Amino acid sequence: MSKNSNKKFVEAITAIDEDFAKWYTDIVKKAELIDYSTVKGCMIIRPYGYAIWENIQKYLDNRIKETGHENVYMPMFIPESLLQKEKDHVEGFSPEVAYVTRAGGEDLAERLIVRPTSETLFCEHYAKIIQSYNDLPKKYNQWCSVVRWEKTTRPFLRTSEFLWQEGHTAHATAEEAEKETIDMLNVYADMLEEYLAIPVLKGQKTEKEKFAGAKATYTIESLMHDGKALQSGTSHNFGDGFARAFNIRYSDKNSKLQYVHQTSWGVTTRLIGAIIMVHGDDSGLVLPPKVAPIQAVIVPIAQHKEGVLDKANELKNNLSSVVRVKLDASDKMPGWKFNEYEMKGIPVRIEIGPKDIENNQAVLVRRDTRAKEVVNLNDLKDRVLAVLDEIHNSLYEKALKNREERTFVAKTMEELKAIAENKSGFIKAMWCGERECEEKIKEVAGLTSRCIPFEQEELDTNCVCCGKKAEKMVYWGKAY
Amino acid sequence: MSKNSNKKFVEAITAIDEDFAKWYTDIVKKAELIDYSTVKGCMIIRPYGYAIWENIQKYLDNRIKETGHENVYMPMFIPESLLQKEKDHVEGFSPEVAYVTRAGGEDLAERLIVRPTSETLFCEHYAKIIQSYNDLPKKYNQWCSVVRWEKTTRPFLRTSEFLWQEGHTAHATAEEAEKETIDMLNVYADMLEEYLAIPVLKGQKTEKEKFAGAKATYTIESLMHDGKALQSGTSHNFGDGFARAFNIRYSDKNSKLQYVHQTSWGVTTRLIGAIIMVHGDDSGLVLPPKVAPIQAVIVPIAQHKEGVLDKANELKNNLSSVVRVKLDASDKMPGWKFNEYEMKGIPVRIEIGPKDIENNQAVLVRRDTRAKEVVNLNDLKDRVLAVLDEIHNSLYEKALKNREERTFVAKTMEELKAIAENKSGFIKAMWCGERECEEKIKEVAGLTSRCIPFEQEELDTNCVCCGKKAEKMVYWGKAY
C-alpha cells in the first residue's frame, strides 16, 4: 500500500502539448489540489490547493482593506422575489440557480435561491442603512461561496459552487462609482501581474458580454498556455439601475433625495486554474513564488550519513525567517522527492549532502528552468530570495511572450476565420459596435469578444465584419 | 437626516437587569453588529460585527495551524443518501435540514442537503485518500457557513445560517483520537479565557446531550451575565463509528486493515453572542481588548482650536504601532462620540484638548470601569498597553466572580427546584448516570445537564434525583 502511494508521483502526466485538457485534469489531481466528490459539479479543495487560495485571499484582502473597504457577511439565501427586483439581473441568473424548497420539516412558502451573487441582498441592506450623504460611500466586500448550476464542469474553471470575493459599493456620484470600478479592476490587474506573474489585458466588455444588470463591465483577460483566453476578474458599474429598483436614496447637502450609484467586482478560485494553465509544464505545476505555499523545499541527500539532517535542519531554520520553507526528511528516495515537488510546482529546491557540507555549499535548482547552481551556504539566504525574484520575473516574461506570439491581427473576415481555424490566441480586429457583427463573428469563426482594451490601436478604419466605419479595436478569442 | 443619524446612539438602550433579552437585541442593532434581512432566520453581519469574527478567526486559525492542521474546502451540498450513511447522525440532523430540490432549470434526481455539518463529506473523502498508516493522521479544518433550520432565532446565538470552523481528523489509534479531542477542547478553552476574557468550565456531555454520532462529546460552558449557560465550543470523539459506516480503513505496519478513529470540533459566530452577554453593560457593548477591532479611540476636545487635530494625529500615529487605534476627527460633538464608542465597547478612550496639550498630557478613560486618569504624553504608549491588559484581567475576574456567585449546590430535588425557581446560574449536583434522572430534572426543574466537569467534587454520595449511589457531579443550568 505504502509503495503504491510512493509511486503515484512517478507516473507521468499527459504531455502539455499533446492534450491540454487532460494535462490540466492530471495536474489538479496529481498535485493534490482538488478531489472530486459525489456532489455533481462541486469539488473538494485539498490542503495544497486551499493554501494557494489562502495566499490569494491574504494578498487581496489587504489590498481591499487598504483601499477603504470593510468585510461583511450576507445570508447565503435570497428569497425568489428579491432576486426578481432587477429585471436584467434575474434574467441573467435564473437559468443557473439552485432552489431550496423545503427546510425544517416544512415546504417553504417562498422558494429560496442559493446566492449566485449577492447584489440584491446588498441593495436591500443599503436601502435600509443609507439615508444621508454622510452615509456615503459604503464600500463593502464579502468572502464566501456561491452557486451557479453548470452542466459541464472543470475544476477551478467552471464548477457549480465556487469560492470568491464580491465587493459591493454605493456612491453619491456617477463619477465616484466609475472611479471605484476602474480602481478595483486595477487592484485585480496588479494582483495578477505582480503576485501571480500573469500578464493581463484590461478593457471593457461589450453590451452582449456585460454582467446582468450592469451599465458597464470591465474585465482583465489573460491568455493560457494553449492560446485560450480566461476572464480573470470583472468590475461592474451599475449606474443607478439597482438603486432605482431597490429605492436606495440619500438626501444630499440641499436635502434633496438622490439615487446612489453602485459597483460590484469579484475574483474567484478560477485564478488557481489560471496559475496552472499559464505557468505549468510537462512535469506538473509551476507556482509563481509569491503565491506558493512552500517557496523552497530542502531535500537531504544520503540523509542517513552523520550530520546531513542536522545541517538540513539548520538551513531550514535559517531560511524560515525569509521564505516559506519545507524540509522533507522522510525516508523516501531523493528522486521520488524531486518528482513530487516538481509536480507540486515548488519554485526552488535545495539539495544538501555530505559532499556539499564538506564544501559549505548547497545545490539550488529552479523549478521553472531546471537551472542548477552551487551556492555557498553563507550566501544561501540572499541567493534564495534573489532566485525567487528571478523566477517571478521570468515566469511573467515567458507568459507575456506566449501572449505576444499568440496575438494576431485580422482586417477581413477571411483573415479572422483563417486565424481562428489554424491558430489559437487573441485576435485583434476593428469593430463597428453592432451586436449583429459580434454575433456573426461568433457564428462564423467561433470567437467571442474578450474586451475592448483601454489601450486602443487603429488597425484599420472599418469593421472587420460589416466593413462600416469602426472606432473600436476588440480582442477576440476562444475562452474558458 | 444627518441630525437623526447623529442622534441614534444617544437613545438609551434597555437596562441590562430590566429585560436582558431586549437589552441584547438593542445592543446587536445599536452597536451595528448585525442587521436583519428578509431571509427568515438569517442575519447580516455588519462590518463591526464581522471585524470581531475576523479577529477570532485570525487567533484560532493560527492555533489550528500551529497544532498541525490544514485548511480545506468541502462542497456546501450533501447528497441525501450520503447524510444517511451514519444512522445516529442523520437522526440528529434531519429535522433541521434545508433541501435543494431544483437546480439549473431541472428537478434534481436526488435531493441535496445544505450542509448542517460536514462529517459525511470528510468521511467520504478520507475513505478515498487514506490507505496506509503513512497517510495518518489526517488533520483537516474548514471555515464555512452551515445551515440548521430554526423556528425561533436570535442574532449570533441561534440562526438558521451561521459561520463556524469545523475540524475533522482521522487517526490510527483510539488513544490518539481521544488526545486530539481533548487538545482541541483546550485550544478553545484557552481562546475563551486568554483572548475573550471568558472563564469556562470544561467537561463531558452526557449521553443525552452528546453530538449525533459521537462516542463522546466534550464541551466548554460559560455563564452569561443573566445566569444562563452558553455552550461555547464542542469537541467530539467518534471512535470508529463513522469509519465503519464509511469504510475508512488503513493498512497498518503488519499490512492488516484497521478502521481509523475520528474526531470533529467546532466553534461558531455564537462566540460573539457570548462576548456581548458576558461583558456588556447598560451603556452597550464592552469588548475584551484582544479581540476589539478598535482598541483605543482618540476624541479631540475643542478640535477647531489650533494644534488640537495635529496633536491628535500625532498620538494616533504614535499609538498605531502598538494598538489598533482610531481618531474620530468628525465634526460631531465630543459627547456624541463618547456615547457612540461606549456603545461600541471600545476598551480605551483618549481625550485630548488645548489644556491637555499645554500640560503635555491626555485623559485616558476605561470603558469597563469608566475610571479616568491623566497620563503624561511621554508615557501614553506604555500606559495604554498596560490599561488594555488591566481591562482584560478585570473583565475576566468580573465574569469569574459572576459565575462563582451564581454557582449553587443542590443535594435534594427540593433544593434543586428551589434554586431553579428563585435563582439563575449553574447548579452543581450529584448524578447516578441514568438518562431517566436527567429527563426528570428537565421536567421538574427545567434544567439541562451542561457538563460532567473534568474537575469533579464529591458533594454527596447519592444522585440528587433518585437517591442511588452517584459518582459524578454534574453542572445543571438553563441554557441559550
Side-chain angles (χ1 to χ4, degrees):
Chain A
M1 274 302 205
S2 70
K3 268 196 188 153
N4 278 342
S5 66
N6 275 10
K7 244 167 74 182
K8 68 187 165 193
F9 282 102
V10 185
E11 291 166 27
I13 54 171
T14 308
I16 189 167
D17 291 324
E18 183 190 312
D19 183 342
F20 191 71
K22 192 154 184 314
W23 169 86
Y24 180 82
T25 46
D26 281 355
I27 283 197
V28 294
K29 284 284 290 177
K30 294 203 176 162
E32 298 187 331
L33 300 177
I34 68 116
D35 195 12
Y36 298 98
S37 79
T38 50
V39 191
K40 205 190 137 291
C42 296
M43 61 178 169
I44 293 166
I45 308 182
R46 300 188 66 180
Y48 196 58
Y50 199 77
I52 297 172
W53 182 238
E54 282 184 305
N55 283 342
I56 291 173
Q57 285 189 301
K58 223 175 290 169
Y59 172 93
L60 187 55
D61 196 63
N62 277 337
R63 293 294 308 269
I64 287 172
K65 284 174 177 155
E66 279 166 17
T67 46
H69 303 85
E70 301 177 291
N71 284 337
V72 299
Y73 188 77
M74 292 282 157
M76 73 149 82
F77 299 122
I78 305 173
E80 193 169 14
S81 57
L82 190 66
L83 193 76
Q84 289 166 341
K85 273 198 161 183
E86 211 286 337
K87 202 177 61 58
D88 293 335
H89 189 65
V90 65
E91 269 178 25
F93 283 102
S94 45
E96 52 190 35
V97 298
Y99 292 98
V100 172
T101 56
R102 188 176 170 81
E106 286 171 12
D107 289 332
L108 298 177
E110 179 179 11
R111 298 194 294 186
L112 296 174
I113 287 161
V114 185
R115 63 177 161 224
T117 178
S118 306
E119 274 75 10
T120 53
L121 292 165
F122 277 89
C123 283
E124 184 186 44
H125 183 53
Y126 281 154
K128 280 173 73 175
I129 65 169
I130 294 169
Q131 276 101 37
S132 141
Y133 67 92
N134 279 321
D135 300 324
L136 294 173
K138 283 276 179 260
K139 295 168 74 173
Y140 287 175
N141 176 64
Q142 112 171 327
W143 293 94
C144 64
S145 73
V146 289
V147 170
R148 299 178 188 177
W149 218 255
E150 299 281 355
K151 300 256 182 270
T152 43
T153 57
R154 296 184 73 182
F156 297 120
L157 300 178
R158 193 169 296 279
T159 46
S160 291
E161 181 193 10
F162 57 86
L163 303 181
W164 78 344
Q165 62 64 224
E166 47 179 324
H168 295 270
T169 68
H171 306 266
T173 65
E175 294 69 35
E176 224 185 286
E178 179 67 10
K179 182 176 181 307
E180 167 81 8
T181 316
I182 299 296
D183 284 351
M184 295 319 292
L185 189 80
N186 284 329
V187 165
Y188 292 156
D190 286 354
M191 174 172 68
L192 267 80
E193 302 204 327
E194 291 167 14
Y195 194 67
L196 307 181
I198 298 176
V200 297
L201 295 173
K202 295 189 245 184
Q204 187 171 354
K205 287 283 184 191
T206 62
E207 283 297 301
K208 180 171 179 288
E209 297 290 332
K210 74 179 187 186
F211 183 80
K215 206 181 76 180
T217 288
Y218 301 101
T219 182
I220 49 171
E221 300 280 326
S222 51
L223 200 71
M224 305 299 102
H225 172 83
D226 67 340
K228 277 199 197 160
L230 189 78
Q231 176 181 305
S232 306
T234 48
S235 187
H236 316 291
N237 185 343
F238 290 126
D240 61 7
F242 275 93
R244 287 177 187 274
F246 285 84
N247 197 29
I248 314 172
R249 293 194 291 180
Y250 70 98
S251 91
D252 68 14
K253 291 195 178 175
N254 305 317
S255 298
K256 225 186 119 187
L257 281 177
Q258 305 278 7
Y259 287 109
V260 301
H261 298 260
Q262 290 173 272
T263 83
S264 85
W265 29 272
V267 295
T268 78
T269 31
R270 152 175 274 214
L271 287 176
I272 299 173
I275 292 169
I276 300 167
M277 293 196 296
V278 169
H279 301 305
D281 66 18
D282 281 338
S283 305
L285 199 58
V286 175
L287 288 179
K290 293 180 192 173
V291 79
I294 303 162
Q295 296 171 306
V297 60
I298 300 169
V299 178
I301 309 295
Q303 66 184 46
H304 58 282
K305 296 224 169 135
E306 208 191 313
V308 173
L309 280 184
D310 286 347
K311 195 51 152 185
N313 261 308
E314 189 189 315
L315 295 189
K316 184 194 158 194
N317 294 335
N318 184 28
L319 287 172
S320 66
S321 62
V322 291
V323 293
R324 296 184 287 272
V325 59
K326 175 193 170 99
L327 163 62
D328 186 346
S330 72
D331 56 9
K332 287 165 184 143
M333 300 296 291
W336 183 91
K337 293 177 188 176
F338 295 173
N339 283 336
E340 160 136 352
Y341 300 118
E342 284 185 0
M343 178 62 70
K344 291 204 162 167
I346 296 177
V348 164
R349 178 172 84 226
I350 298 161
E351 305 170 9
I352 179 107
K355 248 172 114 179
D356 299 309
I357 295 171
E358 254 174 52
N359 298 320
N360 194 44
Q361 67 182 37
V363 177
L364 202 154
V365 187
R366 278 172 67 154
R367 170 64 184 86
D368 60 337
T369 57
R370 301 293 178 56
K372 276 192 185 199
E373 59 181 303
V374 173
V375 178
N376 187 293
L377 292 187
N378 303 335
D379 306 328
L380 187 64
K381 217 174 184 173
D382 290 342
R383 192 61 198 133
V384 167
L385 284 177
V387 168
L388 290 175
D389 268 354
E390 286 167 25
I391 295 174
H392 173 88
N393 292 335
S394 90
L395 287 179
Y396 181 85
E397 291 305 327
K398 196 178 152 212
L400 187 61
K401 188 161 165 272
N402 182 54
R403 189 184 81 191
E404 282 168 355
E405 286 173 358
R406 287 177 178 279
T407 300
F408 310 98
V409 172
K411 296 194 179 174
T412 64
M413 278 301 271
E414 288 63 44
E415 283 176 24
L416 195 76
K417 265 184 67 180
I419 298 167
E421 270 165 32
N422 302 311
K423 319 224 164 165
S424 184
F426 283 128
I427 307 176
K428 299 192 280 192
M430 299 306 287
W431 176 57
C432 61
E434 292 300 322
R435 198 185 180 109
E436 245 176 37
C437 287
E438 196 177 350
E439 278 164 0
K440 189 157 181 205
I441 287 169
K442 174 92 195 268
E443 193 195 305
V444 171
L447 301 170
T448 53
S449 69
R450 304 316 311 152
C451 70
I452 308 162
F454 294 157
E455 281 187 29
Q456 284 284 314
E457 298 166 55
E458 203 184 329
L459 307 169
D460 202 348
T461 51
N462 302 322
C463 175
V464 69
C465 182
C466 66
K468 282 187 204 142
K469 197 167 153 35
E471 277 161 6
K472 307 243 171 212
M473 180 187 82
V474 169
Y475 276 93
W476 307 86
K478 288 173 186 155
Y480 280 97
Chain B
M1 273 302 204
S2 69
K3 268 196 188 153
N4 277 342
S5 65
N6 276 8
K7 245 168 74 183
K8 69 187 166 193
F9 283 100
V10 185
E11 292 165 25
I13 55 170
T14 308
I16 188 167
D17 291 324
E18 186 190 308
D19 184 341
F20 191 72
K22 193 158 183 314
W23 168 86
Y24 180 82
T25 45
D26 281 356
I27 283 197
V28 295
K29 282 285 290 178
K30 294 203 176 161
E32 299 187 330
L33 300 177
I34 68 116
D35 196 11
Y36 299 100
S37 79
T38 48
V39 191
K40 206 189 138 290
C42 296
M43 61 178 168
I44 293 165
I45 308 182
R46 299 187 66 181
Y48 196 58
Y50 198 77
I52 297 172
W53 182 239
E54 284 185 304
N55 284 341
I56 291 173
Q57 285 189 302
K58 223 176 289 172
Y59 172 94
L60 187 56
D61 196 63
N62 278 336
R63 292 296 306 270
I64 287 172
K65 284 174 177 155
E66 279 166 18
T67 48
H69 303 85
E70 301 177 290
N71 284 337
V72 299
Y73 188 78
M74 291 282 158
M76 72 148 82
F77 299 122
I78 305 174
E80 193 169 15
S81 57
L82 190 66
L83 193 77
Q84 288 166 341
K85 274 200 162 181
E86 210 288 335
K87 201 177 61 59
D88 293 336
H89 189 67
V90 65
E91 269 177 25
F93 282 102
S94 44
E96 52 191 33
V97 298
Y99 292 97
V100 171
T101 57
R102 189 177 169 79
E106 285 172 13
D107 290 332
L108 298 177
E110 179 179 10
R111 299 194 294 187
L112 296 175
I113 287 161
V114 185
R115 65 180 159 221
T117 179
S118 306
E119 273 75 10
T120 51
L121 292 166
F122 277 89
C123 283
E124 185 185 43
H125 183 52
Y126 281 154
K128 279 172 74 176
I129 65 169
I130 294 170
Q131 277 103 36
S132 141
Y133 67 92
N134 278 322
D135 299 324
L136 295 173
K138 281 275 179 264
K139 296 169 72 173
Y140 287 176
N141 176 65
Q142 115 170 325
W143 293 94
C144 64
S145 73
V146 288
V147 170
R148 299 177 188 177
W149 217 254
E150 300 281 354
K151 299 256 182 269
T152 45
T153 56
R154 296 184 71 182
F156 297 119
L157 300 177
R158 193 169 294 280
T159 45
S160 292
E161 180 193 10
F162 56 87
L163 303 182
W164 78 345
Q165 61 64 224
E166 48 178 325
H168 295 269
T169 68
H171 306 266
T173 67
E175 295 67 37
E176 222 185 286
E178 179 67 10
K179 183 176 181 304
E180 166 82 7
T181 316
I182 300 296
D183 283 352
M184 296 318 292
L185 190 80
N186 284 329
V187 165
Y188 291 157
D190 286 355
M191 174 172 68
L192 267 81
E193 302 204 327
E194 292 167 13
Y195 195 67
L196 306 180
I198 298 176
V200 297
L201 296 173
K202 293 189 245 184
Q204 188 171 352
K205 287 283 183 192
T206 62
E207 283 296 302
K208 180 172 179 288
E209 297 290 333
K210 74 178 188 186
F211 183 79
K215 206 182 76 180
T217 288
Y218 302 102
T219 180
I220 49 171
E221 300 280 326
S222 52
L223 200 71
M224 305 297 103
H225 173 83
D226 67 341
K228 277 200 196 158
L230 189 78
Q231 177 181 306
S232 306
T234 49
S235 188
H236 317 293
N237 184 342
F238 290 126
D240 60 7
F242 275 94
R244 285 176 188 274
F246 286 83
N247 197 30
I248 314 173
R249 294 195 289 179
Y250 69 97
S251 91
D252 67 14
K253 292 195 179 177
N254 306 316
S255 298
K256 222 185 119 188
L257 281 176
Q258 305 278 5
Y259 287 108
V260 300
H261 298 261
Q262 290 173 271
T263 83
S264 84
W265 27 273
V267 296
T268 77
T269 32
R270 150 175 275 213
L271 288 174
I272 299 172
I275 293 169
I276 299 167
M277 294 196 295
V278 169
H279 301 305
D281 66 17
D282 281 338
S283 305
L285 197 59
V286 176
L287 288 179
K290 292 180 192 174
V291 79
I294 304 162
Q295 297 172 305
V297 60
I298 300 168
V299 177
I301 310 293
Q303 67 185 44
H304 57 283
K305 296 222 171 138
E306 207 192 314
V308 173
L309 280 183
D310 286 347
K311 195 52 152 184
N313 260 309
E314 188 189 316
L315 296 188
K316 185 193 156 193
N317 293 335
N318 185 25
L319 287 171
S320 64
S321 61
V322 291
V323 293
R324 295 184 287 270
V325 59
K326 176 193 168 96
L327 162 62
D328 186 346
S330 72
D331 56 9
K332 287 166 185 146
M333 301 295 294
W336 183 92
K337 294 177 187 174
F338 295 172
N339 284 335
E340 162 139 351
Y341 300 118
E342 285 186 359
M343 177 62 70
K344 291 204 162 168
I346 295 175
V348 165
R349 179 173 82 227
I350 298 160
E351 304 169 10
I352 180 105
K355 250 172 113 178
D356 299 309
I357 295 170
E358 253 172 50
N359 298 319
N360 195 43
Q361 67 184 36
V363 177
L364 199 154
V365 187
R366 278 174 66 155
R367 169 64 183 88
D368 61 337
T369 57
R370 301 288 177 59
K372 275 191 186 200
E373 60 181 301
V374 172
V375 179
N376 187 293
L377 292 187
N378 303 335
D379 307 328
L380 187 64
K381 217 173 184 174
D382 291 343
R383 192 62 198 133
V384 167
L385 284 176
V387 168
L388 290 175
D389 268 353
E390 287 167 25
I391 295 173
H392 173 89
N393 293 335
S394 91
L395 288 179
Y396 181 85
E397 291 305 327
K398 196 177 151 214
L400 187 61
K401 188 161 166 271
N402 182 54
R403 189 183 80 190
E404 282 167 354
E405 286 173 0
R406 287 178 178 277
T407 300
F408 310 98
V409 170
K411 297 192 179 176
T412 65
M413 277 302 271
E414 289 64 43
E415 283 176 23
L416 195 77
K417 264 184 67 180
I419 299 167
E421 270 164 31
N422 302 310
K423 319 221 163 168
S424 184
F426 283 128
I427 308 176
K428 298 193 280 192
M430 300 305 289
W431 175 58
C432 61
E434 291 299 324
R435 195 182 180 113
E436 246 176 36
C437 287
E438 196 177 350
E439 277 165 359
K440 192 159 179 203
I441 287 169
K442 173 92 195 264
E443 191 194 307
V444 171
L447 300 170
T448 54
S449 68
R450 303 315 311 151
C451 69
I452 309 162
F454 294 157
E455 283 188 28
Q456 283 283 313
E457 298 166 54
E458 202 182 330
L459 306 168
D460 202 348
T461 52
N462 302 322
C463 175
V464 69
C465 182
C466 66
K468 283 186 204 143
K469 195 166 155 33
E471 278 162 5
K472 306 245 170 206
M473 180 187 81
V474 168
Y475 277 93
W476 308 87
K478 288 172 186 154
Y480 279 97

